């Protein structure tokens, strides 16, 4: 008999091993733990939610198709139910396990949240404030805003972060998968935005 208590330790141990197998790039182990959960009668919606979280947390922008695929698998499970739902779940699991990995977006939002919770927020720069309501322009809202689409490279040199956070970098892409290209592009974007390379 398969030992599995949906409210007990085995439930948490198997889902932990499942997620860690995806993160560790082992599709065989990930499929094994998926099979154990399916066979034990685990709610497929719970499994699908964990797959979505894994796509965002462990693959992130290293493969931007991971999250849409995980969401599509969850939707497929909802539409077709089980036992056929195992097939899109398995496809998503194999895709995630073999995808390049990055937790840079996950680390980035946690670092930004930590700053906000520590009171490091500051005032929104005046040129970024909403200028559409009556009296806003008289307060200086929107004054000096540079519309990026009017710039040569579609990027304008201007401050976006509040004064006390200028220069803070929350997102630090890895050199894996699509983030390799994102990192190179981001370096150029930050240079233009910060005025270090306005014409590159």
């Amino acid at each position: 008999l398969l030992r599995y208590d949906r409210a007990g330790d085995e439930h948490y141990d198997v889902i932990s091993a499942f997620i860690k197998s995806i993160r560790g790039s082992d599709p065989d182990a990930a499929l094994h733990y998926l099979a154990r959960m399916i066979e034990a009668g685990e709610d497929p919606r719970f499994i699908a939610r964990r797959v979505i979280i894994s796509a965002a947390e462990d693959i992130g922008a290293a493969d931007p198709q991971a999250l849409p695929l995980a969401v599509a698998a969850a939707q497929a499970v909802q539409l077709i139910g089980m036992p056929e739902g195992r097939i899109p779940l398995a496809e998503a699991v194999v895709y995630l396990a073999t995808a390049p990995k990055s937790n840079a977006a996950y680390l980035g939002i946690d670092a930004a949240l930590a700053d906000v919770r520590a009171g490091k927020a500051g005032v929104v720069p005046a040129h970024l404030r909403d200028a559409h309501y009556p009296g806003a322009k008289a307060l200086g809202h929107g004054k000096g805003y540079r519309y990026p689409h009017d710039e040569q490279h579609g990027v304008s040199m201007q401050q976006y972060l509040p004064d006390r956070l200028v220069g803070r970098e929350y997102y630090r892409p890895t050199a894996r998968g699509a983030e390799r290209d994102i990192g190179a592009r981001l370096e150029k974007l930050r240079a233009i935005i910060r005025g270090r390379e306005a014409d590159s």
Side-chain angles (χ1 to χ4, degrees), residues 17-19 21-22 26-35 37 93-94 97:
F18 174 64
I19 294 303
S21 297
I22 293 173
D26 189 334
D28 303 306
L31 286 172
H32 167 76
Y33 293 115
L34 174 63
M37 289 187 286
V93 166
V94 167

Side-chain angles (χ1 to χ4, degrees), residues 114-188:
D115 275 356
V116 170
R117 289 170 182 158
K120 298 177 187 174
V123 178
V124 174
H127 61 278
L128 298 182
R129 295 183 195 172
D130 182 17
H132 291 92
Y133 64 89
K137 289 189 179 178
L139 296 171
H141 293 194
K143 185 177 181 182
Y145 174 68
R146 296 177 67 177
Y147 189 56
H149 294 293
D150 290 341
E151 304 293 330
Q152 179 183 0
H153 301 290
V155 183
S156 54
M157 181 186 78
Q158 65 188 328
Q159 179 181 327
Y160 289 97
L161 280 167
D163 288 344
R164 68 183 302 188
L165 293 171
V166 168
R168 190 82 162 95
E169 295 180 358
Y170 296 112
Y171 179 54
R172 296 178 179 171
T174 68
R176 296 184 292 275
E179 277 195 330
R180 194 171 38 243
D181 296 331
I182 292 170
R185 186 166 64 250
L186 181 58
E187 189 176 331
K188 292 176 183 175

Side-chain angles (χ1 to χ4, degrees), residues 24-150:
S25 302
D26 189 334
D28 303 306
L31 286 172
H32 167 76
Y33 293 115
L34 174 63
R36 281 174 67 163
M37 289 187 286
I38 291 170
E39 194 62 20
E42 181 62 76
D43 184 346
R45 294 169 303 176
F46 168 77
I47 300 170
R49 285 193 300 270
R50 297 305 307 176
V51 169
I52 291 171
I53 293 166
S54 176
E57 180 178 337
D58 291 317
I59 288 86
D63 185 341
Q65 292 305 309
L67 183 56
L69 184 73
V71 171
Q75 291 172 335
V77 168
Q78 293 272 21
L79 286 170
I80 64 176
M82 296 299 274
E84 289 84 358
R86 77 191 186 284
I87 303 166
L89 281 175
E91 179 183 346
V93 166
V94 167
Y95 189 96
L96 298 186
T98 57
K101 308 295 189 291
S102 171
N103 67 348
Y106 168 54
L107 294 177
I109 187 57
D110 281 356
L113 283 168
D115 275 356
V116 170
R117 289 170 182 158
K120 298 177 187 174
V123 178
V124 174
H127 61 278
L128 298 182
R129 295 183 195 172
D130 182 17
H132 291 92
Y133 64 89
K137 289 189 179 178
L139 296 171
H141 293 194
K143 185 177 181 182
Y145 174 68
R146 296 177 67 177
Y147 189 56
H149 294 293
D150 290 341

